[in-house]
C-alpha cells in the first residue's frame, strides 16, 4: 500500500472540531478554508517529523523520541507549543503507566481465574497475546516500528 | 491558548481499561493498539494516521509512541493557531466566515507559517 504524503489526510471531522473549538461562537469556516487547514496540518506533520528526525540522526539514534520533537518545535519557531506539549506528555506518560498496571493487574486476575481450572475460555485470548507484547515493550517510549 | 490537559481528558476518570480491544498490530502499523487506547483521551487526532504520515518520510526508521503522540498534539495546537490567526483577517474584512484567502494572508504574514508557502493546493 504505497501511500503518497499527499494522500494522507487527517480526518475532516476532527480537524473541523479543533477549528470550531478554537474560534468564538458564531464564526463559520468555509469548506475551502477547512480543506486548506487540513492540508496545512498534514504538511506540518511532515515538516515536524523531518525536523525531529534530523535531531535523532545527529544524536546517532535510529528512534525518533519525544525530545526530538520538542527540539523540532523550537527549531520551527513554535516555542509557544513547548509548555502545553510538556504537560500533555506528562499526562500521556501517566496514562501509559496506568494502562500498563491495569493490564498487568488483569493478567494476574486472569491467572488466578485460570488456575481453578475454569474452562471459561470466552475471554479475550487475544488480549492475552497483546499483553505479552506490551510487557516486552520498553518502559520509556515503547518503540513503534515505523520501518520502511 | 488554554490547552490544559484537564480540558482534554473529558472522558473523565477512572474507567481505565475500556480498552475494547487492542488490535494486534500485524506489522501494518495501521490500526495498532495506540489508536484504540489513546485516542479517546489526550489526542484528538488519530495516532495511527499521524504515524502513517511520519512513515512517509524515507529517512524515518523508528519512532517512539511518545513522539507520535507529541506530534499529534502539536498538530492540534498548530490547527488552533492557524485558525485563530486567519480569523484576524476575516474580521478585518468584516466577515464572520473564515475563507481560504484569510489562510493565505496569515501564511504570508506570519513567519512561523513560512514553511507552508507553496504547499497548499
Amino acid at each position: 500500500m504505497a501511500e503518497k504524503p499527499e494522500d494522507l489526510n487527517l480526518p475532516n471531522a476532527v480537524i473541523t472540531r479543533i477549528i470550531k473549538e478554537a474560534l468564538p461562537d458564531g464564526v463559520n469556516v468555509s469548506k475551502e478554508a477547512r480543506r486548506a487547514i487540513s492540508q496545512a496540518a498534514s504538511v506540518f506533520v511532515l515538516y515536524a517529523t523531518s525536523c525531529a528526525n534530523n535531531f535523532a540522526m545527529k544524536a546517532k539514534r535510529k528512534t525518533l523520541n519525544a525530545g526530538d520533537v520538542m527540539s523540532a518545535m523550537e527549531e520551527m519557531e513554535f516555542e509557544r507549543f513547548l509548555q502545553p506539549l510538556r504537560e500533555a506528555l506528562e499526562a500521556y506518560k501517566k496514562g501509559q503507566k496506568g494502562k500498563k498496571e491495569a493490564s498487568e493487574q488483569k493478567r494476574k486476575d486472569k491467572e488466578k481465574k485460570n488456575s481453578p481450572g475454569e474452562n471459561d475460555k470466552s475471554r479475550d485470548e487475544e488480549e492475552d497475546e497483546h499483553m505479552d507484547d506490551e510487557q516486552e515493550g520498553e518502559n520509556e517510549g515503547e518503540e513503534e516500528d515505523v520501518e520502511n | 491558548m488554554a490547552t490544559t490537559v484537564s480540558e482534554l481528558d473529558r472522558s473523565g476518570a477512572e474507567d481505565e481499561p475500556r480498552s475494547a480491544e487492542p488490535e494486534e498490530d500485524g506489522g501494518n502499523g495501521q490500526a495498532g493498539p495506540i489508536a484504540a487506547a489513546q485516542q479517546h483521551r489526550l489526542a484528538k487526532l488519530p495516532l495511527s494516521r499521524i504515524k502513517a504520515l511520519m512513515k512517509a518520510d524515507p529517512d524515518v526508521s523508528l519512532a517512539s509512541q511518545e513522539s507520535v503522540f507529541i506530534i499529534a498534539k502539536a498538530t492540534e495546537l498548530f490547527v488552533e493557531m492557524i485558525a485563530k490567526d486567519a480569523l484576524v483577517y476575516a474580521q478585518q474584512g468584516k466577515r464572520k466566515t473564515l475563507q481560504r484567502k484569510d489562510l493565505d494572508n496569515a501564511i504570508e504574514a506570519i513567519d512561523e507559517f513560512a514553511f507552508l508557502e507553496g504547499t497548499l493546493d
Side-chain angles (χ1 to χ4, degrees):
Chain A
M1 215 188 310
E3 286 161 349
K4 294 185 222 154
E6 308 89 70
D7 298 340
L8 282 167
N9 291 320
L10 298 167
N12 275 331
V14 181
I15 295 287
T16 301
R17 181 156 47 108
I18 299 172
I19 296 173
K20 293 243 145 167
E21 288 175 3
L23 301 178
D25 288 340
V27 170
N28 295 319
V29 184
S30 77
K31 204 168 60 160
E32 291 75 24
R34 231 186 307 140
R35 199 173 68 85
I37 292 180
S38 183
Q39 264 190 303
S42 295
V43 176
F44 175 85
V45 173
L46 295 173
Y47 182 35
T49 298
S50 173
C51 226
N53 200 45
N54 284 338
F55 284 101
M57 293 197 296
K58 260 190 251 178
K60 309 224 163 102
R61 266 182 287 106
K62 286 205 178 144
T63 304
L64 212 152
N65 64 28
D68 298 325
V69 180
M70 298 298 191
S71 303
M73 291 299 120
E74 250 182 302
E75 172 115 326
M76 291 161 68
E77 293 178 40
F78 285 108
E79 288 96 349
R80 60 174 78 191
F81 290 178
L82 292 177
Q83 191 45 33
L85 287 179
R86 283 189 201 116
E87 288 169 11
L89 182 59
E90 276 319 296
Y92 177 78
K93 285 190 193 173
K94 285 198 189 126
Q96 288 294 85
K97 195 170 152 219
K99 279 175 177 70
K100 196 163 184 175
E101 286 166 6
S103 54
E104 276 185 38
Q105 186 55 52
K106 256 189 178 177
R107 169 178 247 193
K108 288 185 191 153
D109 290 346
K110 232 192 208 194
E111 279 167 12
K112 282 190 201 150
K113 205 176 182 185
N114 284 339
S115 49
E118 264 183 36
N119 269 343
D120 184 39
K121 289 199 209 157
S122 55
R123 299 287 221 69
D124 345 7
E125 312 246 16
E126 284 172 22
E127 201 175 18
D128 208 33
E129 272 169 38
H130 169 73
M131 285 197 282
D132 273 341
D133 269 2
E134 263 187 75
Q135 298 306 327
E136 280 170 32
E138 290 148 51
N139 267 344
E140 189 350 29
E142 296 175 14
E143 286 174 12
E144 260 312 306
D145 208 323
V146 188
E147 264 176 273
N148 276 320
Chain B
M1 202 162 333
T3 324
T4 52
V5 170
S6 50
E7 206 175 305
L8 302 164
D9 199 318
R10 352 183 135 143
S11 33
E14 318 314 316
D15 58 337
E16 264 328 300
R18 62 164 98 164
S19 50
E21 319 216 353
E23 283 143 39
E24 190 46 81
D25 185 343
N28 238 0
Q30 289 312 70
I34 330 177
Q38 274 76 48
Q39 198 175 327
H40 54 260
R41 285 290 161 97
L42 300 170
K44 292 174 183 162
L45 293 161
L47 299 192
S48 54
R49 202 81 72 95
I50 298 286
K51 194 175 78 151
L53 268 165
M54 290 168 75
K55 270 171 97 160
D57 186 330
D59 293 332
V60 173
S61 30
L62 293 171
S64 72
Q65 271 190 30
E66 284 177 3
S67 68
V68 178
F69 170 75
I70 294 297
I71 290 200
K73 193 69 194 131
T75 305
E76 192 181 311
L77 296 174
F78 167 80
V79 169
E80 287 173 8
M81 178 178 166
I82 201 170
K84 287 178 181 161
D85 287 339
L87 182 62
V88 169
Y89 291 95
Q91 286 167 339
Q92 273 177 17
K94 305 213 170 64
R95 281 179 281 107
K96 284 205 164 165
T97 300
L98 205 65
Q99 289 172 4
R100 169 62 194 259
K101 59 184 171 187
D102 302 318
L103 256 313
D104 292 332
N105 283 330
I107 290 171
E108 210 180 336
I110 297 168
D111 287 342
E112 289 95 309
F113 298 147
F115 72 93
L116 291 170
E117 277 164 27
T119 63
L120 307 184
D121 287 341

